[in-house]
Amino acid sequence: MAVETKTKGGIFEEEKLEEVSEAQREWEEGPLKKEVARHPERKDRFSTISDLEIKRLYTPRDIPDFDYMKDLNFPGCYPYTRGVHTTMYRGRLWTMRQFAGFGTPEQTNERYKYLLSIGQTGLSMAFDFPTLYGRDSDDPMSRGEVGKCGVAVDTLRDFEIIFEGIPMDKVTTSMTINPPAIVLLAMYIVAAEKQGVSQDKIGGTVQNDMLKEFIAQKTWIYPPLPSLRLVRDIVVYCTHHVPKWNTISISGYHIREAGSTAVQELAFTIADGIEYVKMGIEAGLDVDAFAPRYSFFFDSHMDFFEEIAKMRAARRMWARIMREKFGAKNPRSWWMRFHTQTAGCSLTAQQPLNNIVRTAIEALAAVLGGTQSLHTNSMDETWALPTEEAVTVALRTQQIIAYETGVANTIDPLGGSYFIEALTNEMEEKAWEYINKIEDLGGIIPAIDAGYPQKEITEAAFRYQQQLEAKEKLIVGVNEYIMPGEELPIEILKVDPEVERVQFERLDEVKKRRSSERVKSLLDDLRDAAADEKENLMPIIIDLVREYATIGEIMGAMKEVFGEYRDPGYF
Amino acid sequence: MEKDERKVKILIAKPGLDGHDRGAKVVARALRDSGFEVIYTGLHQSLDQIVHAAMEEDVDGIGLSILSGAHMYIFPTLIEKLKEQGLDDIVVFGGGIIPTDDIPKLKEAGVKQIFLPGTALEEIIEWVRENVKPRAVSL
């Protein structure tokens, strides 16, 4: 791919660098050698959690071609290494956005109101498994899952309840939803309309990133091509009618949680992003009309500097790709805006209070990496959905970072660190190797078909597990500093099994009250439209939602046309 | 006749809609590397599909991975379905996000062992080696 990544001839003078080299040699041969002979270092090899080797010390020799203007430039200036906004957190702090939702729509409405009352600044909806897979609560595959991992949604009625008393023109909402994103977005639009808020006024995000589903998270229904067609329909519709909506949240989070390394997370996410840009262009849109509404979503794991370097590298890579490869003219198309969530997979079931510390460190990395919004996990999430007390501590963690630590006083405080700059370069170089490999395979879709990213991730996850078993990597309380006979010291949230019954009853009632004939005829129209690849399905799905068609009916009708995807099950 | 030393056959399955397959795959791979014959069914299996696969493949043990909170429905229902097929000699074990309070109830329902997050692979392998033996061939 013809995107320039290296610069030659930086801000260091050749003679000065020579001086450093000489001094370093002397230091290594002299005091260092002596010290190591007397007190050997703790390990032969130091590496990040992703197994990237880290040197003892970084000096200007590690970034000899460092070119401030080309590599970093100023905040809000291309290539945005230091941040996409000119004043960053001095102007406005990141959005504190806690992912939440469980049980019935009523319970979720209550939790949202609570979160807003304690100072949260945006909503983030968690749906239960049946909703994530576009199934109704009374579908046989939904048994045992209703309301468990998030809120249960069957029809528009549920959305009306969830947002009751929450002004949809003031609050922005992120919805973690993928195959049925088109249905949930339609519900959001119609629920807002019923509050008197038109679609051009609402703001928020649908995750709508099907590529990473096939790579990592595995929430799929249809095969890749029809799945991407729905992604496209959302992008095209919103570009014309819902201008403040973020149409895709291109997600590395799930790739990382599935066990990838930081470099793989970076590379596969950007490869997905490239595909989505191609998709928009192929749909006939001008790149600058839709690219500014693409956002990203990264994981913040335990390896502090690796995460910061990853986020800085990501911004720089995306800016270059958008400007140089796709010829975007609008600087907003060059911006990589991203949400971050602390790493769920880093939390431990053992000694769960320690998770507060882990999350705080990961959150700090996200802030130093320049995130636009942040979710901090709660200490009890390896056990269950968080209790109110646990989510409060998690949000307080962000507030403490924002208001007490002083880290938001200056922009990109680690910029210029020899280590951070060298690591940022290394992340970028290694990510390009993956992206070029994917391009060689014909792009991310053929790569997924060949199982390439999936196998790379599975391999990395297994390698890490082996390092844990060999104690090459330590997790406090899991493979070291174990507390024998530990009792669970914290309260955990249990979702009432009654939720299932409540949802069944509501679904029945809604079905009785709606015009089933109208729904049936619209579902026929949907099948016809689905069969024509050129049709945009968003308008007809909005009509269906307005008539209280269920998510299962809508997704099921399309399944008849699109077919189903089966897990190749690599291990 | 003395049964020959055939490999113990384990089915690793992800029931229901839960897509968290990192743990299931790591365990499947570790068991395979330790000499077991491992079948991984892939995601989104209904319980009937799992029972069917167990029967077809004539497995000795089934390991379920559940991280969605649906374990109190899934485990007992699977065991019930195995019984209906006369497959109650298949050892059922599992892992995932399972509150400790639920473990005694699951064991009572017939689940032989539950492995919680952070369990060493070696511990799982050892347990399987000791507790899952080749079933009598039913012909």
Side-chain angles (χ1 to χ4, degrees):
Chain A
M1 185 172 293
V3 172
E4 190 186 358
T5 55
K6 275 204 185 101
T7 53
K8 274 269 170 271
I11 59 171
F12 299 118
E13 287 172 30
E14 208 46 56
E15 306 96 88
K16 291 281 177 194
L17 281 174
E18 237 353 278
E19 235 173 78
V20 174
S21 296
E22 196 130 323
Q24 186 163 354
R25 267 193 298 276
E26 278 170 30
W27 178 73
E28 281 170 358
E29 291 305 312
L32 178 68
K33 208 168 183 179
K34 226 161 88 189
E35 179 62 24
V36 173
R38 238 183 331 168
H39 305 292
E41 291 181 332
R42 289 181 292 114
K43 292 184 274 192
D44 291 338
R45 182 175 177 273
F46 288 77
S47 64
T48 67
I49 197 167
S50 304
D51 210 29
L52 199 66
E53 186 159 359
I54 297 296
K55 301 207 287 191
R56 174 181 297 115
L57 184 76
Y58 289 77
T59 72
R61 292 284 354 162
D62 294 289
I63 45 168
D65 301 319
F66 182 65
D67 181 334
Y68 183 82
M69 292 306 293
K70 270 187 127 168
D71 295 339
L72 305 191
N73 205 349
F74 285 83
C77 300
Y78 182 88
Y80 307 101
T81 315
R82 309 203 72 176
V84 290
H85 299 302
T86 309
T87 56
M88 284 303 287
Y89 306 137
R90 287 171 64 104
R92 192 175 153 269
L93 288 166
W94 62 92
T95 303
M96 299 178 190
R97 196 188 289 281
Q98 297 293 91
F99 185 45
F102 64 93
T104 60
E106 286 85 352
Q107 287 169 310
T108 297
N109 173 264
E110 204 177 299
R111 176 65 71 94
Y112 287 173
K113 285 180 175 162
Y114 172 75
L115 287 168
L116 292 169
S117 76
I118 61 171
Q120 178 166 306
T121 47
L123 294 176
S124 176
M125 297 182 80
F127 298 105
D128 69 357
F129 270 114
T131 307
L132 292 173
Y133 283 94
R135 289 172 188 262
D136 291 340
S137 296
D138 59 2
D139 184 297
M141 277 292 268
S142 304
R143 283 300 303 276
E145 307 271 17
V146 177
K148 282 277 160 54
C149 283
V151 60
V153 172
D154 295 310
T155 69
L156 173 64
R157 182 75 201 111
D158 299 314
F159 252 65
E160 293 164 357
I161 296 167
I162 293 168
F163 285 95
E164 193 172 324
I166 297 173
M168 294 172 83
D169 52 344
K170 300 219 165 56
V171 165
T172 61
T173 305
S174 170
M175 293 193 272
T176 297
I177 191 78
N178 293 283
I182 197 162
V183 180
L184 279 297
L185 176 57
M187 286 183 184
Y188 197 89
I189 289 170
V190 180
E193 179 187 291
K194 296 206 159 184
Q195 278 192 7
V197 181
S198 59
Q199 55 181 356
D200 56 322
K201 300 282 187 312
I202 55 171
T205 306
V206 272
Q207 196 163 74
N208 194 29
D209 171 6
M210 281 310 297
L211 290 169
K212 67 90 174 58
E213 294 299 336
F214 292 105
I215 294 173
Q217 186 167 248
K218 326 287 169 68
T219 315
W220 53 58
I221 299 173
Y222 316 129
L225 289 178
S227 297
L228 285 174
R229 181 257 183 106
L230 293 179
V231 175
R232 179 202 70 186
D233 286 357
I234 290 174
V235 170
V236 172
Y237 182 86
C238 290
T239 301
H240 296 310
H241 306 291
V242 200
K244 294 201 290 181
W245 202 267
N246 295 310
T247 52
I248 312 179
S249 169
I250 306 161
S251 307
Y253 188 82
H254 320 83
I255 292 172
R256 191 67 181 282
E257 292 285 307
S260 85
T261 65
V263 166
Q264 288 168 349
E265 177 191 1
L266 176 60
F268 299 155
T269 306
I270 287 186
D272 290 347
I274 290 171
E275 190 61 40
Y276 290 130
V277 174
K278 287 185 191 160
M279 182 195 79
I281 293 169
E282 273 162 31
L285 298 173
D286 177 65
V287 67
D288 287 318
F290 69 88
R293 298 322 301 185
Y294 284 0
S295 62
F296 286 79
F297 173 22
F298 288 110
D299 200 297
S300 189
H301 214 302
M302 276 308 286
D303 201 296
F304 192 67
F305 296 112
E306 185 173 52
E307 294 306 279
I308 297 166
K310 175 187 80 186
M311 294 172 199
R312 297 174 85 247
R315 267 194 301 274
R316 186 161 73 196
M317 291 173 77
W318 189 247
R320 287 180 173 154
I321 289 165
M322 291 311 293
R323 195 169 87 168
E324 294 172 30
K325 181 183 163 68
F326 290 112
K329 303 267 183 313
N330 181 353
R332 289 190 173 233
S333 304
W334 307 336
W335 287 6
M336 174 186 268
R337 296 172 300 133
F338 63 87
H339 173 70
T340 306
Q341 179 169 339
T342 57
C345 66
S346 73
L347 303 187
T348 65
Q350 299 79 357
Q351 306 174 37
L353 291 171
N354 296 344
N355 293 331
I356 300 173
V357 181
R358 292 191 177 95
T359 297
I361 292 167
E362 293 165 349
L364 184 59
V367 169
L368 295 177
T371 195
Q372 275 57 63
S373 61
L374 180 61
H375 166 102
T376 32
N377 292 323
S378 300
M379 61 175 146
D380 51 357
E381 290 189 71
T382 65
W383 288 101
L385 294 187
T387 61
E388 207 158 273
E389 187 191 20
V391 281
T392 305
V393 173
L395 180 62
R396 294 289 179 252
T397 304
Q398 294 197 39
Q399 291 162 336
I400 289 167
I401 292 171
Y403 300 110
E404 296 185 21
T405 63
V407 297
N409 289 342
T410 189
I411 303 163
D412 187 32
L414 294 176
S417 146
Y418 306 123
F419 175 42
I420 281 292
E421 297 303 347
L423 195 57
T424 303
N425 293 344
E426 193 177 352
M427 303 292 291
E428 181 168 353
E429 278 158 32
K430 291 200 150 66
W432 274 114
E433 286 170 23
Y434 270 117
I435 295 170
N436 289 333
K437 171 94 202 261
I438 289 165
E439 296 272 309
D440 288 347
L441 289 169
I444 194 69
I445 297 172
I448 290 169
D449 282 339
Y452 173 65
Q454 300 95 309
K455 286 174 192 161
E456 287 290 310
I457 295 168
T458 303
E459 196 54 46
F462 190 67
R463 208 163 47 230
Y464 178 62
Q465 189 62 36
Q466 283 179 314
Q467 289 174 329
L468 289 178
E469 309 267 320
K471 291 204 185 182
E472 284 163 28
K473 300 274 180 220
L474 295 185
I475 299 178
V476 171
V478 175
N479 64 352
E480 195 67 287
Y481 310 111
I482 297 164
M483 222 109 88
E486 183 194 347
E487 294 270 324
L488 191 62
I490 52 169
E491 283 281 323
I492 62 170
L493 181 100
K494 291 225 165 159
V495 176
D496 189 347
E498 271 293 276
V499 171
E500 209 167 59
R501 197 185 51 77
V502 173
Q503 278 306 109
F504 285 8
E505 279 173 11
R506 180 154 41 229
L507 188 53
D508 269 351
E509 207 189 298
V510 168
K511 280 184 178 169
K512 268 183 219 141
R513 282 208 271 165
R514 68 181 189 179
S515 157
S516 291
E517 239 158 79
R518 179 96 184 104
V519 169
K520 197 174 157 292
S521 109
L522 280 168
L523 285 172
D524 288 338
D525 295 348
L526 176 61
R527 280 185 207 94
D528 291 345
D532 179 0
E533 206 272 334
K534 295 210 163 41
E535 282 276 335
N536 190 311
L537 300 179
M538 193 80 212
I540 189 170
I541 290 176
I542 291 177
D543 288 343
L544 273 158
V545 161
R546 204 179 274 122
E547 296 293 330
Y548 295 88
T550 71
I551 187 171
E553 289 166 340
I554 297 170
M555 297 304 288
M558 289 192 284
K559 200 185 291 177
E560 289 168 31
V561 180
F562 295 153
E564 275 185 274
Y565 182 75
R566 296 254 166 249
D567 184 12
Y570 303 112
F571 74 99
Chain B
M1 192 173 70
E2 192 67 29
K3 246 182 89 1
D4 63 347
E5 282 291 301
R6 75 167 174 90
K7 275 190 183 178
V8 169
K9 215 168 175 182
I10 306 286
L11 179 77
I12 297 291
K14 286 286 307 175
L17 299 171
D18 173 22
H20 296 90
D21 61 354
R22 176 174 175 175
K25 288 170 143 192
V26 165
V27 169
R29 165 108 180 239
L31 287 170
R32 184 178 68 194
D33 289 355
S34 307
F36 296 97
E37 191 172 340
V38 178
I39 293 137
Y40 172 56
T41 56
L43 287 166
H44 312 149
Q45 297 293 300
S46 71
L47 294 177
D48 290 328
Q49 284 171 317
I50 293 170
V51 171
H52 184 75
M55 197 153 37
E56 284 280 287
E57 298 283 350
D58 208 4
V59 302
D60 306 301
I62 300 177
L64 293 184
S65 162
I66 306 172
L67 288 86
S68 68
H71 50 274
M72 293 309 282
Y73 167 74
I74 289 173
F75 275 111
T77 313
L78 176 81
I79 286 168
E80 220 28 66
K81 285 179 185 285
L82 286 172
K83 250 183 221 155
E84 283 165 21
Q85 300 297 325
L87 299 171
D88 31 353
D89 53 339
I90 295 181
V91 176
V92 176
F93 60 98
I97 297 192
I98 292 167
T100 35
D101 290 356
D102 291 339
I103 294 176
K105 290 174 228 160
L106 291 173
K107 288 196 168 165
E108 209 169 296
V111 180
K112 198 81 184 279
Q113 186 62 286
I114 293 288
F115 298 102
L116 293 179
T119 308
L121 288 175
E122 207 36 58
E123 189 184 328
I124 300 173
I125 294 162
E126 266 318 299
W127 184 89
V128 172
R129 203 167 270 146
E130 266 164 43
N131 292 278
V132 187
K133 303 289 179 200
R135 289 158 62 226
V137 186
S138 50
L139 281 176

